[in-house]
Amino acid sequence: MSYVNNIRMFVRVYELGSMSAAARDQRCSPAVASARISELEKHLGVRLFNRTTRSLQPTENGRIFYDGARRVLDTIDEAEAAVMDVTQNPRGTLFIAAPLGIGRRFIAPHVPAFKDLYPQIDLRLRLSDRVIDVTGEGLDIAFHLGLLEDSTLKVRLIAECPRILCAAPAYVARRGMPADGAALVQDRHDCLNLRFPGAKEFQWTLQTPEGPRRFEIAGPYESDDGDVLTGWALNGHGIVLKPIFEVAEHLKDGTLLPVATATPPLPTQLSVLSQHRRLKDPKVRLFTDFIVARIKADMAARMAGLTPAP
């Protein structure tokens, strides 16, 4: 089994691009991770990575070996999954990624209950608003908030999510109530932007009588954490574009107000993504079914009493 562990470590180092990141992922020290790679290189008689103090890059031999190593691990995982399915005893580790807000609100609170039901399944939840490479990062499941482009992944739609522009009463009192997207631009309203490496949307696409239109908004604040933007909006620092479920409690208690309601944002979607080959794994199916049901129930509770902007 040690050889398989060495291969698994190699795959995670290759996919994550870092010895320390792979060590954290596999719950061992960087020294152990490095030793496993060295053992594998000694066994194969080739160098798999070029390592310096500042970078780690796969060699040509490493790139060649990765494809075969990934297939070996996939075959082992599928064989183990088939046995677990028959024995009704799912076990192993699930690697899950989600946007920060989705993970905090709808996934993390239910992880302990899932673990209670399936004590032999471990879960590793990674939260980030950056663009996720499901295949390249070796993920089993990834939650995605946004409209998807063509994908080779298996996509399961969880919910259609209306969005809203909103601001604190203090901001509206100070700067006025913008009627639409044109007012946001003309009156130079402070718009709070979600931006991170790889982000494609640097303008707000709003619904107008002529159809969807992109507005070049601006503002003094940006963050790669959507909850930080909500906090700034609550403190009166600007206007934020949000899925309604993320700010529902603030809309209900009046700490945030809808603005520019004549041109609401286009809705978005919440989906769960997985690689087709991972769907054979019972723990992937079990967790997906479990969490999707709870997300839908939680969203319905948050949205109760609210109606999307027309």
Side-chain angles (χ1 to χ4, degrees):
M1 194 66 180
S2 60
Y3 185 63
V4 173
N5 289 337
N6 291 349
I7 292 177
R8 197 174 297 278
M9 180 61 72
F10 161 77
V11 166
R12 295 308 285 154
V13 171
Y14 187 100
E15 292 173 343
L16 297 175
S18 163
M19 196 75 70
S20 58
R24 288 193 298 271
D25 184 82
Q26 295 295 299
R27 296 185 179 180
C28 66
S29 68
V32 169
S34 180
R36 288 182 181 177
I37 297 301
S38 296
E39 286 179 14
L40 191 57
E41 289 176 329
K42 183 177 180 180
H43 174 79
L44 295 171
V46 298
R47 182 173 291 278
L48 298 172
F49 295 102
N50 289 320
R51 300 190 278 276
T52 69
T53 55
R54 293 189 176 183
S55 69
L56 181 147
Q57 296 293 330
T59 63
E60 183 61 27
N61 286 322
R63 285 188 284 271
I64 292 170
F65 186 68
Y66 171 77
D67 292 333
R70 181 75 266 179
R71 287 195 297 272
V72 167
L73 293 182
D74 289 343
T75 300
I76 292 173
D77 290 343
E78 288 177 11
E80 289 180 346
V83 171
M84 294 173 208
D85 209 13
V86 170
T87 61
Q88 299 293 305
N89 187 31
R91 60 185 302 167
T93 302
L94 277 175
F95 294 89
I96 304 160
L100 288 162
I102 297 295
R104 289 167 178 161
R105 290 175 180 82
F106 301 113
I107 300 175
H110 298 296
V111 165
F114 181 82
K115 180 67 174 175
D116 288 343
L117 286 173
Y118 304 101
Q120 295 189 75
I121 299 178
D122 292 335
L123 299 100
R124 300 187 188 173
L125 180 61
R126 309 285 186 258
L127 302 184
S128 174
D129 282 332
R130 67 179 174 82
V131 176
I132 298 294
D133 181 354
V134 176
T135 303
E137 296 181 37
L139 296 167
D140 296 297
I141 300 166
F143 293 84
H144 179 81
L145 185 63
L147 300 179
L148 283 165
E149 300 175 357
D150 291 341
S151 174
T152 59
L153 300 169
K154 176 66 176 178
V155 180
R156 178 173 174 179
L157 178 65
I158 299 174
E160 296 283 349
C161 305
R163 298 193 291 177
I164 194 169
L165 294 169
C166 53
Y171 178 87
V172 174
R174 187 175 74 254
R175 295 293 307 275
M177 173 65 79
D180 54 22
L184 295 178
V185 177
Q186 291 167 6
D187 297 338
R188 301 182 63 83
H189 276 277
D190 295 333
C191 298
L192 305 172
N193 252 333
L194 179 70
R195 295 197 184 188
F196 49 91
K200 296 181 179 179
E201 188 172 337
F202 295 100
Q203 301 167 317
W204 286 352
T205 302
L206 307 179
Q207 302 177 66
T208 74
E210 295 77 33
R213 177 184 162 193
R214 295 174 72 84
F215 290 86
E216 301 235 5
I217 48 82
Y221 301 102
E222 295 179 0
S223 177
D224 61 357
D225 184 333
D227 284 347
V228 168
L229 300 184
T230 301
W232 285 337
L234 286 166
N235 289 325
H237 296 302
I239 296 170
V240 69
L241 188 160
K242 281 285 177 176
I244 293 180
F245 68 78
E246 285 197 12
V247 291
E249 62 188 293
H250 306 303
L251 295 170
K252 289 178 182 179
D253 66 18
T255 52
L256 288 177
L257 303 175
V259 303
T261 54
T263 53
L266 292 172
T268 191
Q269 295 177 333
L270 178 62
S271 305
V272 60
L273 316 178
S274 54
Q275 301 177 59
H276 285 269
R277 56 184 172 77
R278 301 276 171 104
L279 295 176
K280 298 178 182 179
D281 190 330
K283 63 180 180 290
V284 171
R285 297 198 307 271
L286 288 168
F287 183 79
T288 301
D289 291 344
F290 176 91
I291 207 69
V292 166
R294 281 151 184 80
I295 289 174
K296 288 182 176 181
D298 288 351
M299 281 194 171
R302 282 175 173 267
M303 297 286 286
L306 289 175
T307 56

